[in-house]
Each structure stands twice: as C-alpha cells, then as structure tokens.
Amino acid sequence: MDDEKYDVVVIGGGAAGLSGALTLARARRSVLVIDAGEPRNTPSAGVHGFLSRDGVAPAELAALGRAEVLSYGGQVRDARVDTAVRDGDGFTVGIDGGTQVRARRLLVATGLVDELPDVAGVRDRWGRDVLHCPYCHGWEVRDQPVGVLSTGPLGVHQAQLFRQWTEDVVLFVHTGPRPTDEEREQFDARGIGIVDGEVASLEIVDDAVTGVRLRSGDVHPRRAVVVGPRFTVASPVLAGLGVPVTEHPMGIGSHVAVDARGTTSVPGVWAAGNVADPIAQVMGAAAAGASAAGAINADLVAEDVARAVEARRNPFSAAAVAGRTPEQFWDDVYGQLDRMFSGSSNLFLVRQASDLAPGTALDLGCGEGADAIWLAVRGWWVTAVDVSGTALDRAAGDAREAGVAGRIDWQRHDLAESFPAGSFDLVSAGYLHSPPGLLPREKVLRAAVLAVAPGGVLLVGAHFGMPSWMTDPPPDLHLPSPEEVVESLDLDLGEWTVEPARFIEREQQGPDGVLGTRTDYVLTVRRRAL
Ligand SMILES: Cc1cc2nc3c(=O)[nH]c(=O)nc-3n(C[C@H](O)[C@H](O)[C@H](O)COP(=O)(O)OP(=O)(O)OC[C@H]3O[C@@H](n4cnc5c(N)ncnc54)[C@H](O)[C@@H]3O)c2cc1C
C-alpha cells in the first residue's frame, strides 16, 4: 500500500482527467492522475476545434496538460488502474496488478472504447482517413469524395452532416437500415448517393484510402470513409465501484449517467469526459473535467468543515485524528500547553509499585515522564516510551533536574509500529487511551505481557468510564472495563496471576473549572518466577 492518501485520484489522464487534476491541484488538493496513456484520438495527427490550440498533436496536448498539473504540485503516474473499491470513508485504487493508493474522492475520466465495424482496412486507417466526427475532421476532407459506411440508424444522419463539408458524399448501406422514401428524397435533393450491398474492404494505396470495395467486387473511389463506432465504457473499475453503466439515450453505446457537475450515483465518485458523454469533443471533455473538479473540491470543503467542527467539539474524536499520524496528534496535544500534566506520578503506580524491589522497568506511554522519574528516584532502571517527541523532551529535562537522567532511557516509539526491546521486572501501561484508530491498544498490551520478565509484574492503569463532569462523552471513545482488558491479554493462567482490579476514585477538574470525580482502576498481573 502506498503510504500516501490523496484527496483525489483521477483515473485517466486525457483532456477530462488532466483538466480536472489541474483545477484540483490549483485548489491545493493533493491529486494523483493515473493514466494508461491511450487517449481515443491517439491515431489522429491533430486535435481540431480546440480554441487557441487548433491542430495541436494529441500527444503534445497531453504533455502540455501534464506539465501544467505537475507545475501546481499534482502528480501523474503512467499506469493502468485495475481495481477501485470503497474503503471506509474513501477508496482504494489498485494499479498495474500491484501497488495500491488511497483517495478521499475519485474522478473517473477513462474515456471510451470505439467499437469499429469489422471491415478490412477500417482499423488500420482509423483516425486518419476513416473518421466519425465531422467537427473533428470535416474540414480536413472538405470537397473530397467521402463514403459513409452505415452500420446503424446514425449512417443517414452522418451522410447528411458530411454533405455540409463536401458535395461528393455516398452512403454505403452495408449493414445499416435502408433509407426510407423520405430520406431518399432528402438525399436526392442534396445530391447524396446511395450504394446498396455489403462492403468487403477498403482500398488502400500508398498509405491512403482510395476506395470502398463491395462484396460484389465493385470498387467505388473514395478519399475518406465515415463510420459510426459503438461507444462503450464498461470497465472493472466502474464495476468495482458499483457505478452503473447504462445505454446512452442517443442509442450510440453505453455511458455513465451523471448530473451537470459529473456526479455519479455513487457517493464520492465523479465522472467526466467521454466516459459520461460519448459525443464530447476535447474542449467539452476538458470543461467537464474542470466542472467535476470544482464539485469535488466543494464536497471536500464541506467534509473538511464538518470534521473541523467535530474536532473542535471533541479533540479526541476520530475527526480530530483524521489525516494525522500518532506523533503529529500527540505532539499537537502536548504542544498546546507548556505542561500538560501535574508532574506527580500516577496514583495507580504509587499504590502498586511502592513495595516492589527496584529492578528494570518499562513505562509505556510515559508522556511528560512523571512516572519514569518517580521510579528512577526509587532506584529503578527505566526504559520510558512515548510517541510524542515534545513530551519526551520535557520528560528528559525534568529527569535532569531530578538528577536521574542516567537511570532513564527515553525512547520514541509509535507502539503500533515498534516496541522497545528487552524484558523488564515491571511493565507499566498507564492510561493508554488514544482516539479511535491511533493506537492498537490490545496489541500493545499483549506485547507488554511478553515484555514482563519471569517473576515480574504488569500494571495496567486506566480510566473506568467518563468523569462526572463530562455530560456529553465522545461517542467513539471506548474505555474498556478491567474484564475486557484481562480477556484481551490472552494469558496462560498457569504462568500468570491476575489480581482483582483496584478502583481509585479521585477528584478531577473539568475544562470549565468544574470539580468532579473520576474513577480509575489498576490491574496487577504477575508472572511466575522461573
Ligand atoms: C480518431 C479520433 C479523432 C478525434 N479528433 C478530435 C478532434 O480533432 N477534436 C476534438 O475536439 N475531439 C476529437 N476527438 C474526440 C476526443 O478524442 C475526445 O473528446 C477526448 O479524447 C475525450 O477526452 P477524455 O479525457 O474523456 O478521454 P480520453 O482522451 O480517451 O482519455 C482517457 C484516458 O484514460 C486512460 N484510461 C482508460 N482506462 C484507464 C485505466 N483503467 N487506468 C488508467 N488510465 C485509463 C486512457 O488510456 C486515456 O489516456 C477524436 C476522437 C477520435 C476517436
């Protein structure tokens, strides 16, 4: 899994995807474009009808677009997305059968596939002198003999359209419907020819279409051939996301139905460009990408606002933690005050450890170090661990002042990732209460069990429910009971003795200065000596 999570992953880096990414990067969103590098118009020499860049080569347009995205800090990766699935409140995107990245939102801009008529020569000449779009190529074949290869109802319409660019248009009925009497009259009036019979192949001489050969063997000289591909968009990416692919209302293929801003029926997923609108040209696709990007940013802003309010109301909520590492979170917590805690050691430790003979001790989640210093003063050799460098710096300063710096080894660990080496006569895990998702408490406590030396003791100090002054407790903060903790330790009772939990009631002041009570407990778990 890629470490990074992006605000938006854009799947497909054609005009729609790059334009969306540009808008998002300029909106200071982290954005990754993943592009397989096969825009539909690749075979064409130039992009026509694109204001200010008319005729630019497709590859040049893509390179310019990529450079603009990169210049604002967006990222572009040459790869194919195989899978995309919802993952919590975001998405996981699988790339090239291996790497995975995560995103808060997705912009699908994968374009479409042109299903071409199965006639020899059509695929070879596609985008050069086998065409479909008069606005893209009509000018380039003006006044030339053009044949329309009909495979469906669109053929008649295409013949009438191309007549705007050239007087020499012939409709090859091929497998399309025969023109109605009314259409024949229209064709006669506009001088459009009709050739019945199935087409066998295109005549190609010196890298150019020269005619259309029928199955009968007749050859009709033509310089360009117009086809009506079926536009299809089905992909495992859309299927994995549950984005429905439906028939386009014009009967020209399939598409993803979206609203005017590219919103799909799946929350968090937008679609833009040909994947949603098969007849969009490059400019339209780019505009749709930019519009969807604006909608995505607005959606992210709304979420950011909601999270900020939630985090403000409850600094220990999942919203407050979102997007931050444990180190960042705890450094911020400690950084808000010159000193967070009273500097006195915890009551649970004082009560349970005062009579223990000093040896080696491990203090997990030592914070500003009061417990570690208390132990060191009593002759213990202490390894004290916290994720916050800010807290550890303060603790080390206090230890120097107390004259016990040499007895304490301060170590910074994110206990979700690493655990101090060694075994200890006393392991103290006090108040390992973290916001949801920040600390795998049960995993850490099981590691704490393994760190207790034979004959040693594990102390688990914890809050027992919320303080009396807290009228609106955070809904997503779970404080496990002593029984739950014991169960999670997974102890071999032949080797361990669990003493009944001792409850400690103490006074505690709430944030508004209100005095209340708080109940804590301590669990003492002893390991048998060898
Ligand atoms: C032959 C031809 C000529 C054309 N000429 C013109 C013209 O002159 N002027 C004009 O305005 N329009 C022209 N068009 C239309 C133009 O190609 C489209 O309007 C435009 O390409 C749509 O942009 P898009 O970003 O939606 O899709 P595309 O440009 O097709 O880009 C989609 C991108 O997504 C990538 N992709 C697909 N699936 C994945 C995946 N799973 N993972 C990662 N990447 C993926 C593709 O490789 C591609 O790079 C032409 C079309 C054709 C077929």
Side-chain angles (χ1 to χ4, degrees):
M1 174 79 77
D2 228 330
D3 278 348
E4 255 169 305
K5 179 175 178 179
Y6 298 89
D7 285 329
V8 186
V9 165
V10 179
I11 307 176
L18 287 173
S19 169
L22 177 62
T23 299
L24 288 160
R26 282 177 49 78
R28 313 188 75 177
R29 292 293 175 188
S30 60
V31 57
L32 171 68
V33 180
I34 305 168
D35 182 37
E38 295 158 359
R40 270 181 82 203
N41 53 356
T42 301
S44 288
V47 177
H48 293 290
F50 195 106
L51 190 66
S52 82
R53 292 197 183 278
D54 183 60
V56 64
E60 190 187 341
L61 186 68
L64 288 166
R66 283 180 171 216
E68 286 174 356
V69 170
L70 295 172
S71 74
Y72 289 100
Q75 295 182 38
V76 182
R77 199 171 296 179
D78 290 310
R80 176 170 290 279
V81 172
D82 307 314
T83 56
V85 288
R86 184 172 293 285
D87 171 10
D89 57 356
F91 300 91
T92 295
V93 176
I95 307 169
D96 279 344
T99 321
Q100 291 187 323
V101 294
R102 293 190 300 138
R104 294 170 67 190
R105 301 289 183 275
L106 293 182
L107 173 57
V108 179
T110 43
L112 59 79
V113 174
D114 296 283
E115 284 182 8
L116 299 171
D118 187 17
V119 169
V122 163
R123 181 159 297 283
D124 294 346
R125 304 305 307 169
W126 172 239
R128 294 187 287 169
D129 38 23
V130 171
L131 317 166
H132 75 298
C133 157
Y135 306 103
C136 308
H137 311 284
W139 177 266
E140 280 61 45
V141 297
R142 67 192 181 283
D143 300 329
Q144 293 191 29
V146 169
V148 175
L149 180 63
S150 177
T151 48
L154 205 63
V156 167
H157 177 61
Q158 282 181 307
Q160 289 180 342
L161 268 184
F162 269 89
R163 173 63 182 76
Q164 170 64 20
W165 281 266
T166 174
E167 290 182 356
D168 188 355
V169 177
V170 170
L171 176 78
F172 293 90
V173 175
H174 186 52
T175 58
R178 293 179 58 76
T180 61
D181 289 347
E182 187 187 358
E183 286 164 349
R184 281 178 181 274
E185 185 186 8
Q186 292 167 348
F187 274 37
D188 286 348
R190 292 285 278 164
I192 301 171
I194 299 174
V195 173
D196 288 318
E198 238 179 271
V199 172
S201 62
L202 305 186
E203 294 287 290
I204 298 162
V205 176
D206 290 339
D207 200 26
V209 167
T210 57
V212 173
R213 179 182 288 274
L214 299 185
R215 288 213 180 279
S216 64
D218 290 349
V219 174
H220 295 259
R222 296 287 95 187
R223 294 308 303 272
V225 172
V226 174
V227 296
R230 182 178 153 79
F231 306 131
T232 57
V233 304
S235 81
V237 171
L238 294 168
L241 291 168
V243 174
V245 171
T246 54
E247 274 301 295
H248 191 270
M250 285 169 69
I252 51 177
S254 55
H255 78 137
V256 171
V258 294
D259 71 5
R261 304 298 304 276
T263 318
T264 70
S265 58
V266 176
V269 181
W270 277 255
N274 279 167
V275 71
D277 179 4
I279 61 172
Q281 290 183 263
V282 173
M283 239 184 170
S291 174
I296 292 171
N297 185 54
D299 193 53
L300 287 170
V301 166
E303 184 178 277
D304 293 342
V305 169
R307 279 187 180 169
V309 170
E310 172 65 13
R312 189 164 185 264
R313 287 181 186 161
N314 175 10
F316 277 67
S317 63
V321 180
R324 291 197 282 169
T325 63
E327 183 179 14
Q328 288 166 338
F329 176 83
W330 284 109
D331 276 348
D332 284 353
V333 168
Y334 283 106
Q336 282 162 17
L337 297 169
D338 291 339
R339 185 165 289 281
M340 190 81 188
F341 297 111
S342 65
S344 305
S345 49
N346 280 304
L347 266 179
F348 83 85
L349 182 71
V350 174
R351 293 209 180 157
Q352 299 302 105
S354 292
D355 296 338
L356 295 177
T360 54
L362 172 64
D363 182 5
L364 294 170
C366 66
E368 289 166 327
D371 285 357
I373 292 168
W374 182 85
L375 287 166
V377 166
R378 267 146 200 86
W380 291 82
W381 295 96
V382 186
T383 299
V385 173
D386 206 279
V387 71
S388 166
T390 306
L392 287 174
D393 286 348
R394 275 180 208 166
D398 288 356
R400 277 193 297 276
E401 272 183 31
V404 290
R407 301 190 80 87
I408 306 176
D409 175 16
W410 304 103
Q411 292 188 19
R412 207 194 69 72
H413 286 271
D414 173 357
L415 291 171
E417 304 291 335
S418 63
F419 199 88
S423 68
F424 304 86
D425 301 315
L426 169 65
V427 176
S428 171
Y431 306 104
L432 292 182
H433 302 302
S434 265
L438 221 55
L439 184 80
R441 193 170 186 273
E442 294 186 359
K443 179 182 154 191
V444 173
L445 288 180
R446 277 197 289 272
V449 166
L450 297 177
V452 177
V457 178
L458 169 67
L459 298 178
V460 180
H463 294 309
F464 186 67
M466 303 298 166
S468 61
W469 46 260
M470 189 178 279
T471 49
D472 187 17
D476 48 6
L477 184 65
H478 175 62
L479 299 176
S481 66
E483 294 74 22
E484 284 174 287
V485 171
V486 171
E487 200 179 324
S488 73
L489 294 179
D490 209 12
L491 297 169
D492 170 359
L493 292 178
E495 192 180 353
W496 296 86
T497 314
V498 181
E499 294 180 4
R502 283 183 70 181
F503 291 86
I504 304 161
E505 196 170 291
R506 59 194 171 90
E507 280 193 337
Q508 194 187 52
Q509 200 172 340
D512 302 328
V514 183
L515 206 59
T517 53
R518 168 139 232 181
T519 306
D520 295 342
Y521 65 87
V522 57
L523 271 173
T524 306
V525 183
R526 295 182 194 278
R527 187 172 178 188
R528 217 176 47 197
L530 284 176

